[in-house]
């Protein structure tokens, strides 16, 4: 072969291969970026989509133009199913916008973008104590507005004040077309094709994460191992700094102001809103207690109750609390073996089964769902629930002393301040 | 501008090449002028402010070089001018690269709080400073002469070698720039240049960046004071060992390939260093042009091996210490240099002993060769731990973990996959830990995939040998190479056939696809 022919052949092969890989990435769509029809056994399960949800979910939500929006972090993403019977029965399209590992600026910024562009009828906002705490040495005035900019802001069509974001168009192009020519996407496309099994991680087109990987990890390593892995991480999260609910010198915090901004928008637009405190496994509540933060936990709840009462001028916003100690959140783990718990994957993440009960409670007719799990938290009943909390927690410690000892044995000894 | 970027590959390189080919048909000087302009644009892309620095540095060195040439008859005066030239160049490097380091060290030693404002290290300053010092010394020795600033400017700024070497000599480059035959368009230069560039791009963007994600987090943990476990630390250290090799040798291939597109051959910079059976051989194969500079302008200038064995060892140690400091203004680099200086002394002393005791027959023993390789490779990996760690304690922490002092653990997931065998592992004292199973598997899969490429496969020079890919050629020394001139290498020789068209299409495509990921060359700010 002469040199000229070789060069032509080489570059032609390269061009063909390049285009072929782009086409393959587009068809497989490992990150849920294009929203085309997926094929069972080829790409219906998206094991790698979870790693790109910050990039893909907001675009997916715009594409779907939902009626109902679920907002929060990874807990509602794994727990609240947009295909729940309530939504189907009421002919409502729900989208789960839960953003794993993201702060409130992203969670609420993305939500506002969808709210501004689509006719949203109902919003479910999950709130997490750890997302709101502020450092004892923080000096940021909670009234500072708008929040500090972040990279994720480029993916929003609108700024906080509703003006158009000029960076959106270019970022949207990048988000959609850069992955087509990325080697990592090609590996992830191959991984997608090779991992079409129920045990794979997955993200559905409606934003729900069915937690197949959690089920697999539990059956593989056991409930105790998963809890054992997570407990030190959770404890570290609560003790890495001196946390408190209010910014020193103020009532409230910058993160509470973000929620206030979102709730005001929802109230002004008459959108039915359920704000709910996530359920935590009792181990998680005990860690909060061991970290010396129970009083701050309740002060945070107090701030939420007050905020909802002040903002909801048209009675469209309700606060629910699913974090009270009940049998649902106190499943024993020591003898659970490799069968997943019914309600929790590990201390912080609840299962779809529990999420279904939460939706029944919040959305169903009064009396639907278990009455001993979750309740509206109001100015009127706040003191009663707070007073009963410690006793309830203690009652579970006495019922399962081994479980409690097992937990405390995993936590490092902490100097009392 | 990075070699592994869309702007370089899709815009800068093709435009520069097309205009160069056009101009070289009209006038060589115009073509050279174009290359200088393009190279300055390439340099200024990173930070235009430092263009003045490089142009100023070139101007001063060129002027001093010319003065040296004019005063060669008066040795004393020429020497004085040379010293001034070297001091000026080193002062520039010293200010930008070492001022903070020395002041911080002095402040620490004196328990003072004195701080200097942070000085940003200009890109490639270590490389172009060394290149210009070599030029001045060669001018003093009467080896090089340069009368045109434009030619000199191209020698310093020629973009394929400007940022991270190879460190070239004036006498290697200028005759090539001045040879009209090199300037003429040749399809073979394009084909061979592109082929070498593609292989380099693949090594850098796919292999080095691919394994980097298993190295950096481990060092980050160690930097943060976390106690690492045995397999975790070895995984991180080996991953970095391979990352560094594929990163820098990939970059050097891209430089050699890029220069070849313009008809220029750059000197070889890597020759399968991890195949070395002793540390002396390693330094003949790793960053060859730097080793050459250190040997010619420091080691020999200090007296080399001319003043007895002890002085030779001292010279070696000092040379490597300075070599370490050249890589970075930090104590970990100094320790790395000292470590390699010590390795070299031990190696030379062993040669002396082996010769005296007539133990040289060992060199043919397979067992001895295997042991020599393992010892050399381990010594290099230990050195890289200091090279990569951000502070001394971090490096010591890594090495403690690698020595097994923090215990040996395996992720539960791995133990579960081992089934019944896992009980033996626990009996053997392995601790089982939560999480990290996938990372563990992928770390060692990458290491197992890349190590044979570095140890068994022919390198780019050997693959392309029929086409004289670089300015110089290096032959394997059978006694000190793991697989010298393996007959199987013939099957890998580059030819114009379908197999190679497909192979290069794969390397080019995967290399291009890897550009969409964030990456940086490790050697960029040395």
């Amino acid at each position: 072969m002469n040199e000229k022919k070789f060069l032509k052949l080489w570059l032609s092969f390269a061009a063909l291969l390049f285009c072929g890989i782009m086409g393959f990435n587009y068809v497989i769509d490992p990150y849920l970026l294009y929203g085309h029809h997926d094929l069972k056994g080829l790409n219906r399960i998206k094991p790698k989509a979870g790693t790109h949800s910050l990039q893909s979910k907001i675009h997916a939500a715009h594409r779907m133009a939902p009626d109902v929006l679920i907002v929060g972090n990874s807990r509602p993403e794994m727990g609240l199913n947009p295909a729940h019977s309530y939504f189907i029965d009421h002919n409502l399209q729900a989208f789960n916008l839960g953003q794993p590992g993201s702060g409130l600026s992203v969670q609420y910024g993305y939500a506002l973008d969808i709210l501004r562009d689509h006719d949203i009828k109902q919003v479910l906002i999950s709130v997490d104590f750890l997302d709101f705490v502020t450092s004892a040495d923080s000096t940021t005035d909670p009234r500072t507005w708008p929040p500090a900019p972040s990279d994720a802001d480029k993916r929003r069509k609108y700024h906080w004040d509703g003006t158009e974001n000029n960076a959106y168009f270019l970022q949207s192009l990048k988000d959609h077309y850069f992955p087509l020519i990325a080697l990592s996407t090609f590996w992830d496309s191959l991984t997608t094709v090779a991992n079409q099994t129920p045990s794979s991680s997955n993200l559905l087109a409606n934003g729900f994460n069915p937690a197949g990987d959690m089920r697999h990890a539990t059956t593989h390593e056991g409930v105790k191992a998963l809890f054992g892995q997570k407990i030190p991480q959770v404890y570290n999260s609560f003790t890495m700094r001196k946390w408190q609910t209010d910014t020193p010198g103020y009532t409230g915090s910058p993160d509470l102001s973000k929620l206030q901004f979102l709730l005001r928008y929802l109230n002004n637009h008459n959108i039915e809103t359920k704000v709910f405190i996530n359920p935590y496994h009792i181990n998680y509540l005990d860690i909060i207690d061991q970290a010396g933060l129970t009083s701050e936990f309740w002060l945070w709840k107090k701030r939420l109750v007050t905020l909802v009462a002040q903002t909801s001028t048209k009675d469209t916003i309700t606060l629910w609390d699913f974090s009270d100690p009940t049998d649902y959140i106190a499943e024993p783990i020591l003898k659970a073996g490799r069968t997943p718990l019914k309600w929790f994957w590990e201390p912080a993440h609840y299962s779809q089964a529990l999420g279904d009960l939460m939706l029944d409670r919040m959305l169903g007719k009064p009396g639907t769902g278990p009455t001993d799990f979750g309740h509206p938290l109001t100015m009127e009943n706040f003191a009663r629930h707070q007073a009963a909390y410690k006793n309830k927690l203690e009652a579970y410690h006495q019922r399962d002393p081994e479980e409690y000892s097992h937990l405390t044995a995993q936590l490092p000894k902490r100097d009392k301040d | 501008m990075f070699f592994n970027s869309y702007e370089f590959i899709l815009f800068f390189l093709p435009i520069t090449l097309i205009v160069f080919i056009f101009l070289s048909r009209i006038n060589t000087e115009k073509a050279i002028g174009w290359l200088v302009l393009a190279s300055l644009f390439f340099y200024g892309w990173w930070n235009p402010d430092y263009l003045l620095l490089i142009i100023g540095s070139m101007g001063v060195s060129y002027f001093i070089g010319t003065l040296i040439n004019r005063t060669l008859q008066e040795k004393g005066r020429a020497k004085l001018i040379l010293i001034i030239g070297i001091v000026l160049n080193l002062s520039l490097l010293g200010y930008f690269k070492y001022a903070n380091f020395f002041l911080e060290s002095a402040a620490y030693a004196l328990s003072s709080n004195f701080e200097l404002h942070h000085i940003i290290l200009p890109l490639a300053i270590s490389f172009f400073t060394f290149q210009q010092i070599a030029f001045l010394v060669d001018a003093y020795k009467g080896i090089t002469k340069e009368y045109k600033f434009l030619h000199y400017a191209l020698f310093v700024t020629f973009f394929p070698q400007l940022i991270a070497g190879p460190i070239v000599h004036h006498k290697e480059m200028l005759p090539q720039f001045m040879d009209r035959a090199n300037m003429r368009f040749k399809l073979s230069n394009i084909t061979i240049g592109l082929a070498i560039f593609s292989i380099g791009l693949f090594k850098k963007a796919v292999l080095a960046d691919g394994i980097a994600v298993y190295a950096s987090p481990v060092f980050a943990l160690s930097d943060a004071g976390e106690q690492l476990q045995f397999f975790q630390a070895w995984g991180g250290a080996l991953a970095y060992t391979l990352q560094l090799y594929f990163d820098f040798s990939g970059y050097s291939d891209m430089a050699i390939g890029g220069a070849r597109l313009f008809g220029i051959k750059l000197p070889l910079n890597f020759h399968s260093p991890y195949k070395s059976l002793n540390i002396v051989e390693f330094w003949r194969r790793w960053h060859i042009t730097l080793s050459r500079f250190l040997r010619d302008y420091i080691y020999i200038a200090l007296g080399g091996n001319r003043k007895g064995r002890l002085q030779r060892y001292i010279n070696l140690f000092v040379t490597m210490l300075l070599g370490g400091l050249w890589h970075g203004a930090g104590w970990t680099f100094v320790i790395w240099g000292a470590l390699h200086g010590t390795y070299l002394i031990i190696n030379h002393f062993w040669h002396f002993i082996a010769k005296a005791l007539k133990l040289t027959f060992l060199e043919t023993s397979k067992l001895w060769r295997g042991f020599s390789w393992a010892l050399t490779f381990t010594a290099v990996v230990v050195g890289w731990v200091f090279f990569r760690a951000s502070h001394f304690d971090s490096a010591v922490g890594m090495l403690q973990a690698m020595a097994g002092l923090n215990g040996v653990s395996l992720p539960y997931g791995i133990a579960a996959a081992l089934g019944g065998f896992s009980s033996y592992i626990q009996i053997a004292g392995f601790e089982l830990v939560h999480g990290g199973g996938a990372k563990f598997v992928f770390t060692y899969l990458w290491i197992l995939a890349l190590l044979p490429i570095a140890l068994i496969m022919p390198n780019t020079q050997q693959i392309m040998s029929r086409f004289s890919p670089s300015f110089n050629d290096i032959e394997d020394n059978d006694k000190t190479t793991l697989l010298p001139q393996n007959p199987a290498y013939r099957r890998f020789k580059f030819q114009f056939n379908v197999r190679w068209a497909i192979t290069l299409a794969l390397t080019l495509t995967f290399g291009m696809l890897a550009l969409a990921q964030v990456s940086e060359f490790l050697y960029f700010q040395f």
Side-chain angles (χ1 to χ4, degrees), chain A residues 1 3 10 181-184 225, chain B residues 6 187-188 191 434 510 513 517:
Chain A
M1 186 185 293
E3 195 176 342
W10 166 23
I181 55 164
L183 186 62
S184 51
Chain B
Y6 289 119
L187 188 65
S188 65
T191 314
H434 299 296
F510 280 89
L513 289 168
Q517 287 138 215

Side-chain angles (χ1 to χ4, degrees), chain B residues 22-48:
Chain B
F22 173 74
L23 288 176
S24 62
R25 287 180 178 181
I26 304 170
N27 183 306
T28 307
E29 289 299 300
K30 281 183 180 161
I32 288 176
W34 166 249
L35 273 186
V36 171
L37 271 181
S39 298
L40 289 173
F41 177 82
F42 173 83
Y43 185 79
W45 184 266
W46 172 70
N47 186 345

Side-chain angles (χ1 to χ4, degrees), chain A residues 170-206:
Chain A
L170 191 62
Q171 186 61 41
S172 175
L173 281 181
K174 272 188 192 170
D175 283 349
H176 283 95
Y177 298 108
F178 238 57
L180 289 179
I181 55 164
L183 186 62
S184 51
T185 314
F186 180 54
W187 295 135
D188 289 344
S189 294
L190 291 174
T191 308
T192 301
V193 174
N195 287 284
Q196 292 296 303
T197 59
S199 62
S200 295
S201 168
N202 194 8
L203 197 63
L204 305 183
N206 59 18

